[in-house]
Amino acid sequence: DVKVTQSSRYLVKRTGEKVFLECVQDMDHENMFWYRQDPGLGLRLIYFSYDVKMKEKGDIPEGYSVSREKKERFSLILESASTNQTSMYLCASTPLTGYNTGELFFGEGSRLTVL
Amino acid sequence: KNQVEQSPQSLIILEGKNCTLQCNYTVSPFSNLRWYKQDTGRGPVSLTIMTFSENTKSNGRYTATLDADTKQSSLHITASQLSDSASYICVVIINAGKSTFGDGTTLTVKP
């Protein structure tokens, strides 16, 4: 089974702190994504990456950056956390080819609270 | 305007009953349409996948339909169980790099 592992299920940070959210997938998927999920707003794409060291902005990239140094790992960085970044963050990966093309395999989510 | 609209926003049914969730989309063209189930506090998990040429697909008690002419999909749950309580998200996948999500339907199954 595909496994997407997010490093932290729950985090509490203070305003202004730097926050790292780590995501690792074990199926050699090319594409990886970071979403945030808020009540009434659904899933919104922050950034995605289609290859090592490659990244593309999603719909809401402001206040976030990402890093993909290895194919299996995609990190989301909040340089200076703010209260409006309190949210559930979901990492996902998907293969480029095959029957599962486009199927998003999600991690369990990281619920971040910024005080 | 969201290109994927789901209804109802929330639904409460009794255990053992059937229900149908709706998804209307304007995204075109697309590769496939998926329904995901998301338990509270967990990541979404794929239930069904349908390409634009398929009309129906079943996965146990879950049956998805797709009408490409009217741009509608539905997810029918038969003989609901308490464990079906979750959010159900309709996702239209344009390609491996782009997906459009509905806001989800929250289903509560009561004993």
Side-chain angles (χ1 to χ4, degrees), chain B residues 5-65:
Chain B
E5 299 277 354
Q6 290 188 242
S7 63
Q9 191 174 24
S10 61
L11 182 62
I12 301 173
I13 62 173
L14 292 176
E15 187 178 12
K17 298 296 185 183
N18 303 337
C19 68
T20 300
L21 314 180
Q22 299 288 347
C23 174
N24 296 341
Y25 60 91
T26 59
V27 179
S28 182
F30 66 92
S31 170
N32 55 77
L33 183 148
R34 293 178 185 265
W35 284 90
Y36 282 80
K37 179 187 179 188
Q38 184 177 22
D39 293 318
T40 302
R42 309 296 291 270
V45 176
S46 179
L47 285 175
T48 66
I49 171 180
M50 302 181 71
T51 66
F52 64 88
S53 61
E54 293 178 301
N55 298 119
T56 186
K57 184 73 70 74
S58 290
N59 177 7
R61 294 181 297 103
Y62 300 101
T63 300
T65 65

Side-chain angles (χ1 to χ4, degrees), chain B residues 62-78:
Chain B
Y62 300 101
T63 300
T65 65
L66 176 63
D67 186 332
D69 292 331
T70 61
K71 294 186 169 58
Q72 294 180 327
S73 177
S74 66
L75 180 69
H76 186 74
I77 304 174
T78 304

Side-chain angles (χ1 to χ4, degrees), chain B residues 80-91:
Chain B
S80 60
Q81 300 175 358
L82 298 179
S83 59
D84 292 331
S85 294
S87 179
Y88 292 84
I89 303 171
C90 175
V91 185

Side-chain angles (χ1 to χ4, degrees), chain A residues 12-19 80-83 112-115:
Chain A
V12 179
K13 298 292 182 180
R14 296 205 174 275
T15 301
E17 280 193 83
K18 192 169 186 176
V19 182
S80 178
S82 62
T83 54
L112 171 67
T113 301
V114 183
L115 302 175

Side-chain angles (χ1 to χ4, degrees), chain A residues 36-44 60 87, chain B residues 2 9 101-104:
Chain A
R36 65 176 283 176
Q37 185 177 33
D38 301 287
L41 295 177
L43 276 83
R44 293 180 290 168
I60 50 164
S87 185
Chain B
N2 196 345
Q9 191 174 24
F101 294 83
D103 289 342

